[in-house]
Amino acid sequence: MSGARATATPRLGPQRPPGPPLPAAGPAWSADPYADALRAGRGPLFLRRTDGWLLPLDVERWCAEPDPADLEVLARCEGTVLDVGCGPGRLVAALGGRALGVDVSEAAVAQTVRRGGRALRASVFDPLPGTGRWDTALLMDGNVGIGGDPHALLARLARLLTADGLLLVETAPYPDVDERLTVQLTAPHGTPGAPFPWARLGTPALLHHAHASGWRVRDRWASHTRTFVALRPPRHAP
């Protein structure tokens, strides 16, 4: 991919001193509706808000090969890449050995490995290999919502990346979206998964949180109805 640096994949080893306690991973994304959809390669699958509102999830795109918008993101990746919430691994597999996927879903990790990628079943808030040594991190497919606390997620990623690392974020395609939610994964005629916190951020909301945390904006763009932001970590990451 263009822009790649000749760096080695981070290995297990000494890590930076731990910061404040971080949100723990929940079991929600390992619930049956999500696993069943990934195994089938298709939906329908939804995030269901407590008031009954449904957000469709694009399982078919996640399980397909990278599309043109994905390829543009992959071309921007630098060096070693941590794909946070990698799902079934289309991006990890495309990046090859310089990438590691992280996902709390056993089914997602298994799909990633079957596609030839490397993946670890864990939350981004768990101890991870290569802390402080990843060149690029990805938050695609709405994963900026992980944990329901954008500030905590950005702080965690600042600790995972190198001082001059790169964070590539896919934002909600609606500029005014800035929501903290409690949601469940659900499919028609199925039992919903356990409730968990989530967030939805359009580009303005993400930029607001990024600026407040000291992140530096490198770029923002739209591709095939999807919207993205590239960020550099704070100068003095925790």
Side-chain angles (χ1 to χ4, degrees), residues 184-213:
Q184 296 171 283
L185 283 159
T186 186
H189 314 299
T191 302
F196 62 98
W198 197 250
R200 297 178 68 227
L201 302 179
T203 294
L206 174 63
L207 294 178
H208 170 77
H209 289 288
H211 284 305
S213 303

Side-chain angles (χ1 to χ4, degrees), residues 20 22-23 125 144 146-159 180 199 201 205-206 208-215 234 238:
L22 297 167
F125 296 109
V144 69
I146 288 173
D149 184 341
H151 178 78
L153 183 58
L154 287 172
R156 174 58 172 155
L157 288 164
R159 291 194 288 272
R180 313 294 171 272
L201 302 179
L206 174 63
H208 170 77
H209 289 288
H211 284 305
S213 303
W215 287 78

